[in-house]
């Protein structure tokens, strides 16, 4: 029955007919159940991009998927009683405990009895090994996470031994975490956030070691099922790259972390990129949830809108493009003011919110009058409203044709008045990205003249697009289908744009063009996150506004919209969360089955 369902789904997607299901190798097989058999709860979904790696230390996408099969000390879940998400212990036996009021040293108890899916025990030494290889300076893993630890930055730079880093298994089930000076967290929640994201998920020591190259510079852990061992409540029981992924719930005693929170027995992900095909599958009862943002589904019953905490738009290569006009700040301003965001959203993403802001329209900040208990809507503050782009007032629409043409003429003249042709790459993972790229191309060429500024579109594999635009590679002119995550609660506290110091990603793609602006951004970030302004809500608000102003004036990114998804769910499941929730996708693995 499982093969038949997969075949029908993929025929609908006009994809390859499956001829067989691959079986999970010994390292990924779960022990047989010893309990009473009941009706299997199968969650059936689509996914546009399955799956570049199962390794939590190197992944750049699919965070939630990897969290389902890779265990961390803590994990964020949805609490139906409060209507909010929260971090709770996962492999940990309780919340972190501070040694004293300085919050410099914390102890974390690891729960006893948990194992990898192959039966290998999980203890404090497993967690320490994971942190050591995650931050190995030779491997240079994307999700390195040592910066906050004592001597962590030095270890990442290859300047000290791991024994000198403030992360230790002091006995079989106790971790002691010592923070670097001025990096002390404000509370236990900050510690759980630090150790509760995908990059901090544990890896199987023996399997990981076997996957490290002879020169120690690379690791193939998680590149396939037979180089991966799951450690969470679910394990990947079937994987056909780019086509199908199946997660199966563990029934062995050692795999029952948070078993009372997550509900499916099995999850089937079909790789389907076409939005209309996904809706057809939903209507035919082949999947249990679907995103349908197209206008023809405006009156479709049962919709719930999920707001995403990210900015979507496009990137400009202002460092080494094929034509120097893209280095000109006037060209960047021309593109910023020349985008009709409302028209784009109406045409391509009707459930999203058109926005020319770098920070979210829904962003909040602690209220300086009562920072512990109250929040302000960031956009309504005098600090945010005072932001200017080259002296011009910032608005949510951000559309001014005359201003855009004025800036373009300056850039065009400075470029010698010669016709320009540039290439814009876009992700091939969905038809919506293609349509977005085509609408942008049309708007820009119509405004500036295709005879003077021509854009050639080029599809790019979704798994490599962020590599192409990374600071180290920058193999693009324009990128029309990317964005960056921005916290709705702490908009200033984002490492995407950091250039110097321990919070710089080794594969970062967000960059600020002006060297002076980079230095100012970094200073404001570190003052707000670590140093003198850390506990001053008013200063952080002021810093936040200035940081956004820097991005609007000097960043390579042109914001277009805050992403919103319109979800529909089958009668088989109740997703718990309500319309408008930022974290609506959390509902899927916690859904109640009817």
């Amino acid at each position: 029955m499982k093969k038949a369902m997969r075949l029908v789904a993929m025929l609908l997607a006009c994809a390859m007919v499956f001829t067989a299901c691959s079986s999970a190798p010994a390292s990924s097989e779960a022990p047989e159940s010893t309990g009473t058999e009941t009706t299997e709860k199968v969650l059936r979904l689509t996914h546009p991009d399955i799956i570049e790696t199962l390794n939590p230390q190197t992944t750049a996408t699919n965070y939630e998927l990897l969290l389902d099969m890779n265990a961390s000390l803590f994990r964020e879940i949805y609490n139906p009683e409060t209507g909010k998400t929260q971090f709770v212990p996962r492999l940990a036996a309780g919340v972190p405990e501070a040694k004293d009021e300085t919050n410099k040293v914390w102890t974390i108890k690891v729960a006893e009895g948990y194992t990898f899916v192959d039966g290998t025990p999980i203890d404090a030494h497993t967690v320490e090994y994971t942190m050591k290889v995650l931050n190995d300076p030779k491997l240079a893993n994307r999700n390195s996470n040592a910066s906050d630890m004592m001597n962590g930055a030095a270890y990442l730079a290859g300047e000290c031994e791991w024994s000198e880093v403030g992360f230790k298994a002091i006995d079989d089930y106790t971790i002691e975490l010592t923070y670097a000076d001025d990096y002390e967290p404000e509370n236990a929640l900050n510690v759980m956030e630090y150790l509760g994201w995908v990059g901090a998920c544990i890896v199987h020591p023996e399997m990981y070691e076997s996957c490290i190259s002879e020169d120690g510079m690379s690791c193939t852990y998680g590149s396939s099922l037979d180089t991966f061992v799951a450690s969470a409540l679910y394990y990947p029981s079937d994987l056909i790259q780019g086509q199908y992924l199946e997660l199966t719930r563990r029934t062995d005693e050692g795999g029952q972390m948070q078993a009372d929170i997550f509900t499916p027995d099995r999850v089937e992900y079909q790789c389907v990129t076409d939005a209309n095909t996904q809706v057809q599958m939903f209507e035919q009862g082949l999947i249990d949830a679907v995103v349908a943002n197209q206008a023809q589904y405006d009156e479709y019953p049962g919709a719930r809108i999920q707001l995403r905490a990210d900015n979507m738009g496009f990137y400009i290569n202002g460092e080494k493009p094929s034509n120097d006009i893209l280095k000109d700040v006037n060209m960047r301003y021309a593109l910023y003011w020349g985008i009709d965001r409302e028209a784009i959203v109406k045409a391509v993403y009707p459930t999203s919110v058109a926005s020319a802001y770098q920070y979210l329209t829904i962003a909040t900040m602690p209220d300086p009058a009562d920072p512990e208990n109250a929040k302000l809507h960031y956009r309504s503050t005098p600090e945010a409203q005072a932001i200017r782009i080259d002296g011009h007032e910032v608005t949510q629409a951000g559309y001014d044709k005359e201003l855009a043409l004025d800036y373009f003429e300056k850039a065009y003249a400075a470029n010698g008045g010669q016709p320009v042709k540039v290439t814009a790459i876009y992700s091939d993972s969905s038809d919506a990205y293609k349509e977005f790229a085509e609408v942008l191309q049309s708007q820009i060429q119509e405004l500036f003249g295709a005879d003077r500024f021509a854009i050639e579109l080029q599809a790019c594999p979704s798994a490599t697009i962020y590599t192409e635009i990374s600071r180290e590679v920058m193999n693009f002119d324009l990128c029309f289908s990317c964005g960056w995550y921005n916290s709705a609660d702490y908009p200033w506290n984002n490492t995407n744009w950091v250039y110097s110091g321990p919070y710089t990603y080794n594969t970062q793609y967000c960059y600020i063009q002006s060297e002076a602006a980079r230095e100012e951004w970094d200073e404001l970030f570190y003052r707000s996150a670590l140093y003198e302004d850390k506990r001053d809500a008013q200063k952080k608000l002021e810093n936040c506004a200035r940081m956004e102003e820097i991005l609007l004036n000097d960043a390579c990114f042109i914001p277009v919209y805050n992403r919103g998804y319109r979800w529909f769910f089958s009668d088989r499941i109740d997703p718990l969360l309500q319309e408008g929730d930022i974290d609506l996708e959390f509902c899927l693995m916690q859904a109640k089955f009817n």
Side-chain angles (χ1 to χ4, degrees):
M1 180 63 183
K2 179 176 71 176
K3 292 183 182 180
M5 184 66 73
R6 290 168 57 188
L7 181 58
V8 170
M10 295 313 292
L11 282 173
L12 280 168
C14 301
M16 181 186 299
V17 175
F18 295 146
T19 58
C21 293
S22 62
S23 58
S27 63
S28 294
E29 291 181 350
E32 293 185 3
S33 171
T34 58
T36 303
E37 297 300 325
T38 58
T39 302
E40 188 178 36
K41 301 182 182 71
V42 182
L43 183 63
R44 304 161 305 170
L45 306 170
T46 60
H47 199 285
D49 180 26
I50 304 174
I51 192 171
E52 97 265 12
T53 182
L54 302 177
N55 184 355
Q57 300 187 347
T58 60
T59 186
T61 57
N62 302 308
Y63 284 4
E64 288 302 313
L65 270 178
L66 265 64
L67 282 167
D68 291 332
M69 50 186 123
N70 293 279
S72 49
L73 286 168
F74 307 94
R75 184 170 181 181
E76 192 174 15
I77 65 162
Y78 177 73
N79 186 336
E81 294 183 2
T82 64
K84 298 178 180 179
T85 58
Q86 67 182 82
F87 278 89
V88 295
R90 193 184 195 188
L91 291 176
V95 299
E97 296 183 1
K99 184 176 182 180
D100 55 40
E101 65 277 0
T102 67
N103 285 1
K104 187 176 182 63
V105 180
W106 294 75
T107 57
I108 302 160
K109 290 290 184 180
V110 179
E112 299 186 35
Y114 291 141
T115 67
F116 287 90
V117 72
D118 68 349
T120 301
I122 296 170
D123 58 18
H125 303 290
T126 312
V127 179
E128 182 182 353
Y129 172 84
T130 293
M131 295 301 289
K132 178 181 178 181
V133 295
L134 169 63
N135 297 289
D136 186 286
K138 286 187 177 180
L139 290 173
N141 285 312
R142 179 186 187 277
N143 298 325
S144 57
N145 201 25
S147 302
D148 289 4
M149 305 175 201
M150 179 183 70
N151 292 327
Y155 181 73
L156 280 168
E159 298 171 353
C160 74
E161 299 297 322
W162 178 257
S163 59
E164 301 172 68
V165 177
F167 196 94
K168 293 288 177 292
I170 58 176
D171 61 41
D172 288 346
Y173 291 98
T174 307
I175 293 291
E176 183 176 86
L177 171 57
T178 304
Y179 280 82
D181 290 342
D182 297 318
Y183 283 62
E184 298 88 355
E186 295 185 41
N187 48 45
L189 173 60
N190 292 164
V191 182
M192 289 192 285
E193 291 172 334
Y194 180 58
L195 298 174
W197 81 297
V198 68
C201 288
I202 63 170
V203 296
H204 189 281
E206 183 178 356
M207 178 64 77
Y208 195 97
E209 284 292 322
S210 72
C211 294
I212 298 177
S213 62
E214 187 174 346
D215 62 4
M217 301 291 287
S218 63
C219 182
T220 59
Y221 184 79
S223 59
S224 63
L225 288 185
D226 59 2
T227 58
F228 176 74
V229 187
S231 55
L233 181 60
Y234 295 87
Y235 68 98
S237 49
D238 195 359
L239 173 63
I240 301 176
Q241 290 284 2
Q243 297 178 2
Y244 180 77
L245 171 68
E246 177 185 80
L247 301 182
T248 298
R249 187 185 183 96
R250 292 170 60 182
T251 56
D252 59 299
E253 185 176 345
Q256 298 307 296
M257 64 287 291
Q258 297 183 325
D260 59 333
I261 295 173
F262 301 101
T263 56
D265 297 314
R266 185 157 50 87
V267 189
E268 297 177 349
Y269 290 97
Q270 306 282 354
C271 184
V272 181
T273 60
D274 180 71
N276 290 320
T277 299
Q278 293 171 4
V279 176
Q280 292 172 24
M281 293 172 66
F282 179 76
E283 290 174 331
Q284 296 184 30
L286 298 175
I287 56 176
D288 296 310
V290 70
V291 172
N293 292 335
Q294 304 94 312
Q296 61 263 40
Y297 301 108
D298 286 350
E299 305 302 323
Y300 207 85
R304 302 192 197 190
I305 301 297
Q306 173 207 5
L307 303 178
R308 295 295 299 267
D310 55 19
N311 273 6
M312 300 299 291
F314 61 98
Y315 286 89
I316 303 170
N317 187 343
E319 296 285 320
K320 47 182 181 180
S322 64
N323 191 294
D324 282 349
I325 196 171
L326 295 181
K327 296 181 180 180
D328 193 327
V329 65
N330 289 314
M331 189 67 224
R332 189 167 70 244
Y333 292 154
L335 289 169
Y336 177 90
W337 292 110
I339 302 302
D340 186 347
R341 293 166 176 82
E342 294 285 356
I344 290 177
V345 166
K346 183 178 181 180
V348 186
Y349 300 111
T351 60
S352 295
V353 178
S355 174
Y357 300 132
Q358 290 284 6
Y359 291 157
L360 302 176
T361 56
I362 57 174
T364 61
M365 291 286 293
D367 186 344
D370 187 10
E372 295 296 323
N373 301 302
K375 292 183 177 181
L376 296 173
H377 182 227
Y378 167 67
R379 302 250 63 99
S380 66
T381 64
E383 290 79 5
Q385 293 177 358
I387 293 173
R388 297 290 183 269
I389 299 178
D390 195 32
H392 301 285
E393 182 180 357
V394 178
T395 66
Q396 184 170 335
Y399 181 46
D400 189 322
K401 287 179 60 176
E402 296 304 318
L403 194 57
L405 287 168
D406 286 346
Y407 279 120
F408 177 76
E409 294 298 342
K410 294 175 184 177
Y412 193 72
N415 197 54
Q418 299 298 313
V420 175
K421 184 176 182 179
V422 297
T423 299
I425 61 174
Y426 65 91
S427 172
D428 63 2
S429 66
S430 79
D431 291 342
Y433 282 144
K434 181 175 185 292
E435 186 177 0
F436 177 58
E438 290 172 345
V439 174
L440 276 176
Q441 177 196 44
S442 176
Q443 279 196 4
I444 294 169
Q445 291 187 158
E446 182 178 338
L447 179 60
F448 301 139
D451 58 331
R452 297 200 297 170
F453 193 84
I455 301 173
E456 178 182 343
L457 298 181
Q458 178 181 315
C460 182
S462 59
T464 63
I465 196 164
Y466 282 98
T467 299
E468 294 295 291
I469 68 173
S470 67
R471 292 176 185 171
E472 291 82 0
V473 178
M474 300 192 74
N475 183 30
F476 78 109
D477 288 326
L478 301 169
C479 179
F480 274 178
S481 60
C482 292
W484 62 286
Y485 175 81
N486 184 209
S487 169
D489 298 320
Y490 314 102
W492 56 269
N493 191 19
N494 196 295
T495 60
N496 278 286
W497 304 92
V498 173
Y499 251 82
S500 60
Y503 281 113
T504 306
Y505 287 1
N506 54 34
T507 57
Q508 190 54 276
Y509 51 88
C510 299
Y511 67 93
I512 297 169
Q513 192 164 346
S514 161
E515 184 65 33
R518 295 174 188 175
E519 293 177 359
E520 184 181 2
W521 167 274
D522 286 0
E523 179 186 0
L524 292 169
F525 170 78
Y526 285 110
R527 277 172 49 186
S528 300
L530 304 175
Y531 303 129
E532 59 264 37
D533 300 336
K534 181 176 180 178
R535 292 179 173 85
D536 189 327
Q538 178 59 38
K539 283 290 187 181
K540 284 198 287 192
L541 174 57
E542 295 169 5
N543 295 349
C544 182
R546 176 54 188 154
M547 292 165 81
E548 184 178 20
E549 189 168 56
I550 290 172
L551 297 184
L552 288 165
N553 281 277
D554 289 279
C556 63
F557 179 71
I558 304 296
V560 177
Y561 64 97
N562 293 157
R563 188 158 42 172
Y565 287 162
R566 180 167 54 199
W567 283 87
F568 298 92
F569 301 94
S570 75
D571 292 337
R572 297 177 66 245
I573 63 172
D574 177 358
L576 300 182
L577 301 193
Q578 302 303 311
E579 182 175 0
D581 282 325
I582 292 176
D583 298 310
L584 187 58
E585 63 187 333
F586 274 70
C587 70
L588 295 176
M589 294 301 286
Q590 294 180 238
K592 292 182 179 179
F593 282 76
N594 299 320

